[in-house]
Amino acid sequence: MLLLVVEAKLDDGERVRHDPATGEEGRDALVDGLAQPGPGAWKIEKPLGTMFVWAQIPEPFRSLGSLEFSKQLLREGHVALAPGIGFGDSGEGWVRFALIENVHRTRQAVRGIRRFLRGSGA
């Protein structure tokens, strides 16, 4: 696997490193964490080589649509994701996760999502 490291120079002279492997680790924490068996499980296909994860809304919530589902998840699960409808009509029924947080925060989000899904009967 080719591993790229990007360095950027900030105005204050501080150097920042971004390691794309971190995205893979975050993706796995999200997708594998949500797929764990038990109440609140959400099976999502694991994407390759992207900083986004697209997921179909779980069946019990599909009638809400992507915008209302995302709003409820934010209110009750304290996790923000992008409703698919924001990307056009074909995005309806889907949501998009951005893999921008560290693995610890991603695991916190997984717990919040599962708690929301369990509490809502999914």
Side-chain angles (χ1 to χ4, degrees):
M1 177 174 129
L2 178 61
L3 180 64
L4 301 175
V5 177
V6 178
E7 289 190 349
K9 183 150 175 72
L10 302 178
D11 290 338
D12 65 0
E14 179 183 348
R15 286 218 174 265
V16 176
R17 290 174 51 111
H18 172 68
D19 182 349
T22 306
E24 188 174 297
E25 189 178 3
R27 177 208 61 199
D28 292 348
L30 175 70
V31 175
D32 295 344
L34 290 173
Q36 291 296 312
W42 186 0
K43 300 255 189 238
I44 299 172
E45 185 175 332
K46 195 178 281 189
L48 302 174
T50 178
M51 65 178 279
F52 301 107
V53 174
W54 283 89
Q56 191 168 29
I57 298 171
E59 182 61 40
F61 298 94
R62 288 198 188 135
S63 64
L64 294 175
S66 62
L67 180 59
E68 189 56 36
F69 174 76
S70 297
K71 288 171 22 179
Q72 283 189 19
L73 182 58
L74 179 60
R75 268 192 313 271
E76 300 172 30
H78 309 287
V79 176
L81 14 111
I85 191 68
F87 298 92
D89 291 342
S90 62
E92 185 53 72
W94 295 78
V95 291
R96 188 183 81 169
F97 296 88
L99 301 173
I100 57 172
E101 289 288 353
N102 63 46
V103 174
H104 173 72
R105 297 269 299 157
T106 300
R107 289 185 181 127
Q108 284 179 323
V110 166
R111 287 191 297 274
I113 293 167
R114 289 189 66 122
R115 193 169 32 254
F116 166 75
L117 296 175
R118 273 194 313 269
S120 300

